[in-house]
Amino acid sequence: MNTVRVRFAPSPTGLLHIGNVRTALFNYLFARHEQGTFILRIEDTDTERSDPKYSDAIIRDLQLLEIRSDEGPYYQSQRLELYQEAFERLEKQERVYFCYCTREELEARRREARTMKRPPRYDNRCRILSDQERRQRTAQGIRPTVRFKVEVKEPILIQDVIRGEVSFDPGEMGDFVIMRPDPQGKDRLLPTFHLSVCVDDGLMGITHVIRGEDHLSNSPRHVLLFQALGFRAPVFAHLSLIHGPGGEPLSKRYGALSVSDFVHEQGYLPEAIRNYLALLGWSPKDNREVFGSRELEEVFDLRNATRHPAIFAEQKLMWINSEHLKRLPEEDYLTRAFDFLQRKGVSVEDKDAALEVLLRLQKDIHRFDELPQLFSFLCSEQIYEKKLEEIFGSRGEVHDVLVSGRNVLASAHSVLKRLNSSGETLFEELFRELKKEVSEKGKKLYFPIRAALTGETCGMELKQVFVLLDTTRIVKRLDMILRLMKGSVP
Ligand code: GLU
């Protein structure tokens, strides 16, 4: 039996986005499930658009999601002689020819075809150029491309795991470019994506090509090249595209987010991202939704990949993330939560109290970026003071709540001085006393105190705030607010 060999072949022209990371994951899961080999190949032959900083970022992001390659990374820019050799082979077999049509000429012809409602395919005119015409074009300074002759007449069939057998009419396909002059001016030819993909898939013994549906129309060209180069064509699996929640193409907002944004900025767990991405275009037979990483490898079956477009829904991703958060062992959860807070510049003064709150929040939060706000009141008094300066520097909700609750705050301040307790007891005693002293109730009573102690109008339970801040700090904060209000309120 053929052992499975698959590859993820990103072009390093940008960061890894949801769409391409899903392709990587499907390849990886398929390889693991089939006990095959997963290869990473960086397709960097486009010297104008490729950048090593993106290759590095892609490799880092795959590591972040624990999508580990068994082979590679191979860099196509280091394999140029293999493509050159393939080209020479095709040239000897007279399967290719030089094309001197300029970009402008091709564009003008495409425009014309569109107006005449003809398919905009290349008309193969350079197939029959005479030597003299070639010399003339060269003398005009035109650097030719190399085109592969599409000579078959019968339909080209590809086998696709997701779509079944797909048939393409070669009559709609013009001869296509497989080598082009190096745009950076060096006097050499570089392979186009079609040639380098087929040479590498062939040489690397790739058995299954799993990639986005946007490549489906390239596959008949690839089948022809595989045949011409003497390779057996792989089985294909073209994954349906990912759309936004309303069925529109994935928006700039989500489409442009890189993996590290999801993890480091928004605070998603890598295993939750993997879990969610696996469900984008695939569903297990039993419709289960939450999977650990190993479980996914066991159950993933490419044959259950769906044909219709997958919909990216942030709410679902958040829900899956919260499920993974709940399942994390305490210590692991705490380490990651603290790392996130640290990355966001939130320093926690009273670590023991913070641990306690973090543990309480484990079952409530959806992702780590909810933590800094919940935690800001725990920060050093210095940060707290800065926050107050901001609040009193310009009017906003918190400012208004404080000002209108001045009476409550002043009473709370004097009650607190009489009380001699802390934590939950302090909270209960304070409000029991306050209810006797002031007429305000409900929100009007609780909001000003929350705003004074945390600088926010929402967040964790107020009782928890009393557990976290010791009595001296609570009194100090009320002191400060009242002082500030004397100065700021007319
Ligand atoms: N380098 C191509 C891309 O990034 C992938 C080609 C393929 O998977 O065949 O779109």
Side-chain angles (χ1 to χ4, degrees), residues 36-79:
T37 304
F38 172 62
I39 296 167
L40 176 60
R41 185 170 80 211
I42 306 285
E43 304 209 319
D44 56 351
T45 54
D46 183 340
T47 49
E48 273 177 319
R49 294 173 60 232
S50 303
D51 190 326
K53 78 167 186 244
Y54 291 130
S55 325
D56 295 345
I58 288 170
I59 292 168
R60 259 201 320 274
D61 282 356
L62 290 176
Q63 274 165 359
L64 192 61
L65 293 188
E66 294 185 22
I67 300 179
R68 290 185 220 92
S69 60
D70 305 305
E71 275 181 37
Y74 296 108
Y75 291 84
Q76 288 192 326
S77 59
Q78 293 168 10
R79 299 165 61 83

Side-chain angles (χ1 to χ4, degrees), residues 288-340:
R288 208 176 127 194
E289 297 193 297
V290 182
F291 293 94
S293 297
R294 291 285 154 274
E295 288 173 312
L296 261 187
E297 292 170 18
E298 272 161 35
V299 298
F300 185 82
D301 185 346
L302 197 54
R303 282 170 306 194
N304 295 341
T306 49
R307 269 193 217 197
H308 51 79
I311 305 289
F312 178 84
E314 193 179 23
Q315 291 302 324
K316 180 83 174 279
L317 171 58
M318 281 173 63
W319 175 76
I320 287 191
N321 199 62
S322 67
E323 291 300 308
H324 279 267
L325 278 170
K326 282 182 203 152
R327 286 166 170 73
L328 277 185
E330 276 180 10
E331 208 166 310
D332 193 4
Y333 161 77
L334 289 172
T335 315
R336 299 205 220 183
F338 267 118
D339 280 355
F340 187 85

Side-chain angles (χ1 to χ4, degrees), residues 330-359 365 368 371-372 375 378:
E330 276 180 10
E331 208 166 310
D332 193 4
Y333 161 77
L334 289 172
T335 315
R336 299 205 220 183
F338 267 118
D339 280 355
F340 187 85
L341 286 170
Q342 209 167 20
R343 196 182 279 276
K344 290 284 162 196
V346 178
S347 61
V348 176
E349 235 170 39
D350 185 344
K351 201 158 178 189
D352 288 340
L355 284 178
E356 204 185 309
V357 177
L358 277 178
L359 282 178
I365 56 168
F368 286 140
L371 290 178
F375 258 84
L378 251 190

Side-chain angles (χ1 to χ4, degrees), residues 7 9-11 43 193 197 209 211 215:
R7 74 333 187 252
S11 305
E43 304 209 319
F193 147 78
V197 160
V209 165
R211 60 186 175 188
H215 282 298

Side-chain angles (χ1 to χ4, degrees), residues 162-336:
I162 304 169
R163 277 145 231 283
E165 189 175 81
V166 189
S167 167
F168 293 88
D169 175 5
E172 285 175 10
M173 225 187 318
D175 296 342
F176 58 93
V177 178
I178 60 158
M179 296 287 267
R180 60 187 188 120
D182 184 346
Q184 307 236 300
K186 289 188 195 139
D187 194 19
R188 61 174 180 177
L189 288 165
L190 290 177
T192 61
F193 147 78
H194 299 305
L195 182 65
S196 54
V197 160
C198 293
V199 170
D200 279 346
D201 284 348
L203 292 177
M204 292 177 185
I206 299 301
T207 55
H208 295 72
V209 165
I210 306 171
R211 60 186 175 188
E213 193 186 352
D214 46 332
H215 282 298
L216 182 61
S217 60
N218 289 322
S219 52
R221 294 184 181 84
H222 296 180
V223 166
L224 295 181
L225 275 177
F226 283 128
Q227 281 166 358
L229 292 165
F231 295 124
R232 185 176 166 166
V235 172
F236 291 93
H238 287 96
L239 307 176
S240 56
L241 297 183
I242 303 175
H243 286 188
E248 72 287 354
L250 203 56
S251 67
K252 281 243 162 57
R253 187 163 153 222
Y254 299 119
L257 280 179
S258 74
V259 174
S260 68
D261 287 334
F262 276 102
V263 176
H264 295 136
E265 296 305 319
Q266 304 198 314
Y268 284 109
L269 299 172
E271 56 269 47
I273 300 178
R274 279 166 62 118
N275 184 164
Y276 180 64
L277 289 180
L279 298 176
L280 279 183
W282 170 78
S283 52
K285 284 208 195 87
D286 57 2
N287 285 332
R288 208 176 127 194
E289 297 193 297
V290 182
F291 293 94
S293 297
R294 291 285 154 274
E295 288 173 312
L296 261 187
E297 292 170 18
E298 272 161 35
V299 298
F300 185 82
D301 185 346
L302 197 54
R303 282 170 306 194
N304 295 341
T306 49
R307 269 193 217 197
H308 51 79
I311 305 289
F312 178 84
E314 193 179 23
Q315 291 302 324
K316 180 83 174 279
L317 171 58
M318 281 173 63
W319 175 76
I320 287 191
N321 199 62
S322 67
E323 291 300 308
H324 279 267
L325 278 170
K326 282 182 203 152
R327 286 166 170 73
L328 277 185
E330 276 180 10
E331 208 166 310
D332 193 4
Y333 161 77
L334 289 172
T335 315
R336 299 205 220 183

